[in-house]
Amino acid sequence: GGKSFVFSKVAERHMKEGGKHVLILADREWLVTQARDNIAEHAGLPVEIEMASEKVDRKKTPVVVCASVQSLIRRYKNFTPDAFDLIVIDEADLAMAPSYRTLCDYFAKARIFGVTATPERADGLALGELFESVCLDIDIRDLIDAGYLSNVRQWPVKVLDLSRVKIDDDKP
C-alpha cells in the first residue's frame, strides 16, 4: 500500500515546515533498512540507522534516524528527550506495546505519526490511546482495484494425516 513512501513524504514535508529531526521506529531489520532507503530515495534527507551494531553519531544527530525498537529501547537515553520532533511508527498496530510507549513517553514533545496495514489489535487495545485520528483507511480490495497490489489467488490444499505412518529407525 506504499506506507514507506507515505511516511517518507511526511518526513520531507515536516522538514520543509521547520522540523529538526525525525525518528522512524520499526520492529524488523528489513523495515528499518527499507525505511532508510525510502527516506533517502523519496525525501532526499540525510538518514542513519540505530540498530544492532549501527549507531548514529551522538555529537550530531542526523536529520532522520531509522531505528529498531529493540535497539533503541536499550539506548534511548543516549538521546535527549527533545532530540526528535516527529516520530514515525511503522506497523503502528504495535505502538501500544510497553517498549513503544516508553519511547513515546521519553520523546514526549514529538508529534507521532503511525502507519499500519493492520489497524485492529488482537489484544483489543485501542490505538486511540496514542493516535488522535485516522487520516486514511483503505482496504486491500481498493488497493488491488487501483493496481497497487496483486489480486489474491487461492488454491485448496489437501491435508494428509501422517499419524499412522511407520518410521523405520534402522534406515538412514
Side-chain angles (χ1 to χ4, degrees), residues 5 9 11 21 31 45 50 62 67 78 82 120 139 146:
F5 177 79
K9 291 302 184 179
H21 301 285
L31 289 172
L45 299 171
E50 182 79 25
N78 292 334
D82 61 349
E120 288 84 28
D139 68 18

Side-chain angles (χ1 to χ4, degrees), residues 90-132:
D90 194 356
E91 303 299 344
D93 52 299
L94 303 175
M96 300 309 295
S99 54
Y100 284 88
R101 295 305 299 262
T102 297
L103 295 172
C104 290
D105 289 345
Y106 183 74
F107 299 114
K109 293 180 182 176
R111 297 174 72 191
I112 300 172
F113 179 80
V115 295
T116 184
T118 51
E120 288 84 28
R121 289 179 50 95
D123 62 9
L125 291 174
L127 294 178
E129 291 181 32
L130 186 60
F131 300 100
E132 292 177 12

